[in-house]
Amino acid sequence: MAQQAVGITGFGGYVPRLRLQRKAVAQANAWIAPNFLGKGKGERSMANWDEDAITMAVEAGRDLLGAGDDRSHVDALYFGSTSMPFKDRLNSGIIAAALTLDENVRAVDVASTQRADTSALMQALAAVKGGEARNAVVLAADRRKTKAVTSQELDFGDGAAAVMVGAENVIATYLGGASLTIDFVDHFKGDTEEFDYNWEERWIRDEGFAKIVPRAVKAALEKSGVSAGDIKHFVLPCIFGDKFAQQLAKRSGIAPEVARDTLALNCGETGAAHALVMLVHTLQKEAKPGDKVLVLHFGGGCDALVFEVTDKIASQAGKRGIVGSLAARVEETNYMKFLTFNGLVEWEKGMRAEQDKKTALTTLYRNEDMLMGLVGGRCKETGVVQFPRSRISVNPNNHTVDTQEPYKFADRKAKILSWSADFLSFSMNPPNHYGMVVFDEGGRIMMDFTDVETGTVDSGMEVKLVFRIKEFDDKRGFRRYFWKAVPIAASAAKSQTGQAAE
């Protein structure tokens, strides 16, 4: 009996809009580290202050799943990251709640290694192949904190990627793979440390990548029954440049020209997400039906997976993915803003920031779908929608009781009704923008705004809703999440409307 083919059935991606110009960083630090001037080329993605690995994974997951309300087909969720905000709380559980997945979903955190994304992907493939899951979402995201005046702050980037694993409508069939587990320590972060400790790059390159990766490639090709000459896309995250990736491909018997863009110049290396980020980028830009794709990720050994692209790849043409995220960029030249957003500067926040941000966990639990999933209510008798959901309808002409059913707001079209921007209330990125948002299909919510270009906000602007950090509770090490509105410039809104119509 032939085995059922499993593989990737969809993808999504997210890269924060800000692009920190490396030249600005190198010039700011030239007085103390002139050796970094040569690295002042291109740009790296830079998360906003209210973004972390969870919020970026949610955005990649939303891109993967689309705007539909019914997500009952997802029965497993794997989340890979080395920068999960909680050491002891199911981070993938937060993502599942934000994506409004059913509570019977199997949610798993995969951490403590750079290859958390490919390891999570391997677990999902095994689960689907073994019949334990039908549709497994794999998410990977990283926002790594780096010391100032280090090569890491220039090389790294922030981002996330998502793929769905299943057995129907497969866009990339999994042919086989292999893992090498070797305690080669290129970097580490101790339990009490805030930053990674990195070993010498030349050692990592020559003794680590150059010797371990070819062995993983050989093992994966043998298990998949694919010859090196058949590989059309060699996907390997590394910070040693595209030429080094080409050399490794050649050393493995693979044509060097099929080594894919590491996105070093326009994104940076997104850590435990980067193999999936590069894979999604390759599937969007270069992969054709019949192509064999080899995906690798180095870290404590190496994972290697081989896929074959199918003609179903055309079904993903409208996705934002990584290509769309990279195109939606805003240049950032303020190095101090980068340091501040990443908690690298001790600054005076003023008395208005002196508030206890304790979260009532009982309230969080009892209102989880409302707070995490932005789920309101719709009256089953009158059709009136409202947020928050309540026993009594807000319909002034018919206050029905206990008639409301769950109603998801997160992916509904909305506009700004009224807004304000002030410097009085504390904000990590002043002025503090907030206002009343009204939804095309009914309902209104007072919301914070984020990703705002100061001076461009106006009533009537379209907004999209995003899942972000609401507040940090530094006293207890907790962070509170909620949804915010992102004003969409008229040109972008017109572009989105055009894409929807196509």
Side-chain angles (χ1 to χ4, degrees):
M1 181 177 172
Q3 284 193 330
Q4 186 180 31
V6 302
I8 297 171
T9 60
F11 59 70
Y14 176 73
V15 178
R17 69 189 181 110
L18 295 178
R19 301 288 186 275
L20 181 63
Q21 302 302 297
R22 292 193 177 100
K23 184 178 181 180
V25 179
Q27 289 181 340
N29 294 326
W31 66 278
I32 192 171
N35 52 311
F36 287 147
L37 283 172
K39 294 174 77 73
K41 300 173 184 174
E43 57 194 23
R44 58 153 291 173
S45 56
M46 168 183 158
N48 202 344
W49 72 268
D50 57 357
E51 295 185 288
D52 64 11
I54 283 180
T55 66
M56 292 190 294
V58 169
E59 285 306 306
R62 294 176 73 196
D63 189 36
L64 166 70
L65 296 171
D69 276 2
D70 184 10
R71 290 169 177 171
S72 59
H73 60 292
V74 178
D75 50 11
L77 169 64
Y78 297 87
F79 175 44
S81 177
T82 63
S83 55
M84 295 184 187
F86 291 96
K87 288 183 179 178
D88 191 355
R89 180 185 176 188
L90 188 61
N91 294 275
S92 52
I94 302 171
I95 296 170
L99 294 175
T100 61
L101 302 182
D102 287 355
E103 64 179 14
N104 59 1
V105 70
R106 174 194 292 179
V108 179
D109 289 351
V110 182
S112 303
T113 172
Q114 288 294 290
R115 54 186 169 111
D117 55 353
T118 47
S119 295
L121 178 55
M122 284 180 153
Q123 288 193 41
L125 288 163
V128 173
K129 198 170 186 177
E132 297 177 1
R134 292 178 295 110
N135 297 288
V137 170
V138 179
L139 300 169
D142 246 344
R143 181 184 182 179
R144 292 169 293 175
K145 194 171 180 179
T146 59
K147 285 184 178 177
V149 202
T150 59
S151 60
Q152 286 75 36
E153 73 173 347
L154 293 165
D155 291 332
F156 290 177
D158 305 318
V163 296
M164 179 81 83
V165 174
E168 297 179 358
N169 298 316
V170 174
I171 65 170
T173 305
Y174 179 56
L175 302 180
S179 291
L180 294 181
T181 300
I182 302 170
D183 190 26
F184 179 89
V185 186
D186 57 338
H187 75 281
F188 66 90
K189 183 160 68 176
D191 181 52
T192 59
E193 297 301 314
E194 194 174 3
F195 304 100
D196 287 351
Y197 184 88
N198 297 276
W199 205 249
E200 184 185 357
E201 288 188 357
R202 187 178 58 176
W203 163 264
I204 300 167
R205 184 192 62 205
D206 297 344
E207 194 66 23
F209 273 83
K211 293 185 177 178
I212 294 174
V213 170
R215 290 170 55 195
V217 171
K218 182 181 178 184
L221 292 178
E222 287 177 355
K223 287 194 174 182
S224 62
V226 174
S227 68
D230 290 335
I231 297 298
K232 299 297 183 187
H233 308 283
F234 182 82
V235 177
L236 173 65
C238 72
I239 60 169
F240 304 117
D242 291 347
K243 285 187 177 178
F244 178 69
Q246 293 167 7
Q247 291 170 5
L248 276 187
K250 187 177 181 181
R251 183 175 295 190
S252 304
I254 297 169
E257 61 269 21
V258 305
R260 291 302 163 228
D261 184 1
T262 59
L263 308 178
L265 282 179
N266 56 352
C267 177
E269 209 251 14
T270 58
H274 208 57
L276 292 192
V277 166
M278 287 180 61
L279 172 60
V280 172
H281 186 258
T282 298
L283 291 175
Q284 284 188 280
K285 285 206 71 173
E286 306 187 67
K288 296 180 177 57
D291 286 357
K292 306 285 195 310
V293 183
L294 175 59
V295 185
L296 299 131
H297 212 158
F298 176 88
C302 186
D303 286 334
L305 303 90
V306 183
F307 295 91
E308 180 174 353
V309 180
T310 76
D311 56 7
K312 295 287 195 304
I313 189 71
S315 66
Q316 303 295 302
K319 289 288 180 64
R320 175 188 63 198
I322 298 301
V323 172
S325 294
L326 290 175
R329 56 186 282 280
V330 174
E331 288 191 12
E332 180 60 68
T333 58
N334 191 336
Y335 180 49
M336 277 301 295
K337 182 182 283 188
F338 172 79
L339 296 177
T340 304
F341 281 6
N342 285 280
L344 296 169
V345 177
E346 191 72 27
W347 60 293
E348 176 54 54
K349 298 177 182 177
M351 294 178 64
R352 293 178 189 272
E354 297 174 1
Q355 300 175 7
D356 192 337
K357 305 296 176 70
K358 183 177 181 178
T359 297
L361 300 181
T362 45
T363 302
L364 173 62
Y365 176 70
R366 288 173 177 149
N367 300 280
E368 187 186 44
D369 67 339
M370 180 183 75
L371 297 173
M372 307 298 280
L374 202 67
V375 179
R378 176 172 54 192
C379 177
K380 288 182 281 189
E381 293 184 9
T382 65
V384 171
V385 299
Q386 65 181 76
F387 188 94
R389 189 168 64 238
S390 63
R391 288 193 64 203
I392 302 174
S393 172
V394 297
N395 187 341
N397 300 317
N398 189 358
H399 291 300
T400 55
V401 180
D402 292 335
T403 60
Q404 295 195 17
E405 59 184 0
Y407 181 85
K408 299 180 181 180
F409 279 93
D411 292 305
R412 310 286 177 185
K413 287 188 174 182
K415 295 183 176 68
I416 297 173
L417 176 65
S418 59
W419 63 281
S420 181
D422 72 64
F423 287 90
L424 296 176
S425 56
F426 169 73
S427 171
M428 283 288 292
N429 190 22
N432 191 19
H433 285 81
Y434 52 90
M436 182 65 73
V437 170
V438 293
F439 293 81
D440 290 2
E441 299 173 50
R444 57 178 59 187
I445 309 175
M446 180 68 79
M447 306 189 82
D448 290 330
F449 296 172
T450 190
D451 290 353
V452 175
E453 296 300 319
T454 302
T456 63
V457 178
D458 201 358
S459 298
M461 285 183 73
E462 292 185 20
V463 297
K464 63 177 180 180
L465 305 189
V466 293
F467 186 71
R468 293 291 175 90
I469 297 168
K470 170 73 172 174
E471 289 172 324
F472 291 98
D473 179 359
D474 295 328
K475 190 174 181 181
R476 302 170 186 84
F478 195 81
R479 58 185 64 182
R480 187 186 305 169
Y481 296 93
F482 192 57
W483 293 80
K484 297 182 181 179
V486 177
I488 304 174
S491 56
K494 186 177 179 181
S495 174
Q496 287 188 1
T497 304
Q499 289 178 3
E502 287 176 356

